[in-house]
Amino acid sequence: MDPEILEIRRHLSAYPPFDALDDEWLDQVAEAVEIAYFRAGSQILEASQPIDALYYVRSGAVEVYRRSGDLFDRLGAGGIFGHYGLLRGGRVRYPAVAIEDTLIYRIPAATFDALCDASHEFSDFIELGRPRLETGGGTAGQGSELMSTRVRKLLTREPLIIEAWQSAQTAALRLADEPSAALLVVDQPGDDPRYTYADADGHLWQVQGIVTDADLRSRIIAAGRDHQTPIGEIVHDDLIAVQSDETVQEAMLAMLRHNVAHLVVLHRRRPIGLIQLQDVVRFETRSSLYLIDSILASDSVQALATLKPDVWQSAVRMIDEGADSRTVGTALASIARSFMRRIIELAEAELGPPPVPYAFMVMGSMARGEQTLVTDQDNALVLDDRFDPGADDEYFSRLARRVSDGLDACGYRYCKGDIMATNPRWRQPLAQWQRYFRRWIDDPNPERLLHSNIFFDLDNVHGEERYVESLQALIAENAGNSPRFMAAMARNALNRTPPIGFFRDFVMEKDGRQNNSINVKRRGTAPLTDLIRIHALACGSRAQNSFERLDDIAETQLLGPGVADRLRDALEILSHTRLRHQAIDIQNDRQPDNNIEPENVPSAERAAIKDAFRALSQAQKFLRFRYPMTSDRPARTGRG
Amino acid sequence: MKTRSRGAASDWASWMAGACEQARDPRLAGFYGAFPHDPSAPVADLPLIAIDLETTGLDPARHAILSIGLLPFTLSSIRLSDRRHWVLRPPTGMSGESVRFHNITHSDTEQAPTMDEILTDLLTALAGRLPVVHYHPLERRFLQRALEQELRQPLRFPLIDTMELEARRHRRGGLARLRHWLGRPPASLRLNDCRQRYGLPAYGTHHAVLDALATAELLQAQIQHHYDATTPVGELWV
């Protein structure tokens, strides 16, 4: 090996996309390189000049500009430019200037073309500006089996099926003969086509639910009912089903979310089995289920608070195992819900039953199922409309206080903006909530927009789910149809913009400034989540999770082809980076935060993060164009 | 930037014209005939060639050339694939003390050609290009002696010395006097130290082609910083 070739090759091989090339190709690239020096301040490429090589920064620094004159990128050693021009017509698209004394390697177009043909990694990087991600998998590698194994792997037998009109005794006899502890109850086809299927003989059935040993004990024997009671009368009405190709992880989360121990597994609409909590626990003994078990078994807030380190530990383990951000976010949200549910149960046990029904709801990241390790509490109480402030508020005020204090003790800090049920404003009957939401949509002003941003991601944690569902429906039906509200929300979503990327150990801003660190929530995930919310509202989606919202958005023509996928990748990259850095903080005994320091970002990840920022920036540009500010009238005042 | 008019420039032109007429060896006549000897030619237009020799010592009478690295280039581009590299078998009796230092082993040199075997190729590769070296006395003396032994005629030509260009700034100018007056050590003129002043990366071990590359890059940097594309080559060569 010639030392001069080795010298060049060694440098190339440290930077993407060349790091993906094998030695033979690296040698060919090094052999073909043309070298040129550029003094600081000199123009390397001028717009529209012919270009016949890919430019690689060996040392020094280069700024690349848009034709408008805006800074597009600042590159240090290992950066490449000129590829846009090479791919499109052989003329320079983005002019480039050396901002330090710079040594450039030119890789001739012929070699560049051969590389694009020979290496998928290389051509993907060139086209996308970053390594291509596995679909939906984020940076997940092998990961835990929980994340990659399909539910159907847990099924060992066909489900035991019983018709709804059979007696409880028949059900008990069937269970006595079998090791299984649950029966699938089916009925004549009814009103829900989602659960209607044809059996092997062509008869149509509708899945009604599951009956377990425990149901027979508590709902027949303990309740003193006749053992001839039709089994359909005691079946749970909330049927929870998963598809057979969902992951064990997703099944586990469904159980946690709905607080059930059994799930029906469907292949399309046909039930092919039942799984229970124990199946999952047997499968993955170290899972966060144990944590949830401990939470639900704790009998005081003090005991709950001791579990805080375990939450961090389990999250760090998931991140280390390569879980994607969606999995970690949902798991953390499930854990938080369990804390909250248990705290409410403990409070109710002390305060007695509530004077009127209520729903304790959460907003923000917890409602979206996108929680991280740095999180504060956003919650509110939706009360039954029979609520009498004079008589009943004392109870709910005390309930709210206990929940809020309890959550703070468990690591979910008080909300600085006072978005908590302890605030009387956020402790209101359903009708008042509906008035709030309508007013926020019909007549937005800065404060109401802020509220819309927080409250329009909402989910029930405890109590009357239907109250929260009616609020979700109100938002989905009204927000997207109000051009003024949408334009105002869009303008709000443009307040926070991403930086360009990283340059050496700095964060590069669009105006050329450099910072030492970046708040990846404020500059990345939050504006991206805001933007996704707006498109979700526009298409009437009722999903709360940003990934699910993107699924709904992708089914419409709202965004250009492939844009939803690009945003999904961007969200995954930014969320994963955020979680990863929080895990680093915890592993180093630091308080986790939302800041990332460029020196902790390996060069292989930088390109991906830079591309995510770019995707966000382009999506913001589209939002500005889609909801122009000129159509926006100033918000009227005086209608409080 | 202040440049000095070099008295040697016109001398070289007339000397080269005479040498070409007197050359008995056709290879030598060809070399002189193609040599870019016009001192008023702008440096940017000239085909250049960086040369680096690895030798067994510093004295051409006692030491031998171990390897020659050549890298043709211009001020705007260095094409690595144009490089040439020869490992040479030293004449018997020559000292080999720096063999290990250059990462060239005895077994490498045993199989290698001698100077007279590569002479034609070497002169062909040099033809029409102005040589560029770092520290010319060494390269010049060794090349002269080796070639004169084979051709039985003196071989002399102008060249650009990147170390000499650096010395003009750091050893002779007002800046150097100021440093001296302040008691600072004079700026180092070693190849890697010179490169560092222009933001060029440090390269690894001594090797003829790698050092030629380092020299070529250094000249590109020096011209951009202290001269420009139209500078007559006569102001640069020695």
Side-chain angles (χ1 to χ4, degrees), chain A residues 34-74:
Chain A
E34 293 178 26
I35 301 153
Y37 180 89
F38 293 89
R39 184 186 176 180
S42 57
Q43 187 97 27
I44 302 175
L45 289 176
E46 283 185 58
S48 303
Q49 81 176 66
I51 181 167
D52 58 0
L54 176 71
Y55 284 62
Y56 175 92
V57 182
R58 170 60 170 86
S59 63
V62 172
E63 278 186 353
V64 181
Y65 293 90
R66 296 178 192 280
R67 288 187 175 219
S68 61
D70 292 343
L71 183 60
F72 177 72
D73 207 349
R74 182 177 293 172

Side-chain angles (χ1 to χ4, degrees), chain A residues 589-609:
Chain A
D589 284 327
R590 292 192 302 258
Q591 191 67 23
D593 60 24
N594 288 318
N595 287 330
I596 57 172
E597 293 77 27
E599 57 266 34
N600 291 333
V601 184
S603 67
E605 276 175 32
R606 289 178 173 217
I609 296 172

Side-chain angles (χ1 to χ4, degrees), chain A residues 199-266:
Chain A
D199 67 13
D201 300 326
H203 296 298
L204 285 180
W205 299 97
Q206 178 173 324
V207 179
Q208 205 186 357
I210 293 172
V211 164
T212 64
D213 269 348
D215 294 331
L216 292 173
R217 273 202 306 277
S218 63
R219 297 185 176 200
I220 298 291
I221 301 170
R225 294 179 76 172
D226 189 343
H227 61 255
Q228 292 305 319
T229 306
I231 202 74
E233 287 183 18
I234 65 159
V235 73
H236 292 273
D237 53 5
D238 50 346
L239 172 62
I240 309 301
V242 292
Q243 286 293 324
S244 61
D245 60 353
E246 290 186 69
T247 63
V248 175
Q249 173 81 10
E250 284 166 317
M252 179 188 95
L253 294 172
M255 289 185 189
L256 297 178
R257 193 178 149 70
H258 299 285
N259 208 10
V260 296
H262 292 83
L263 292 176
V264 182
V265 180
L266 302 177

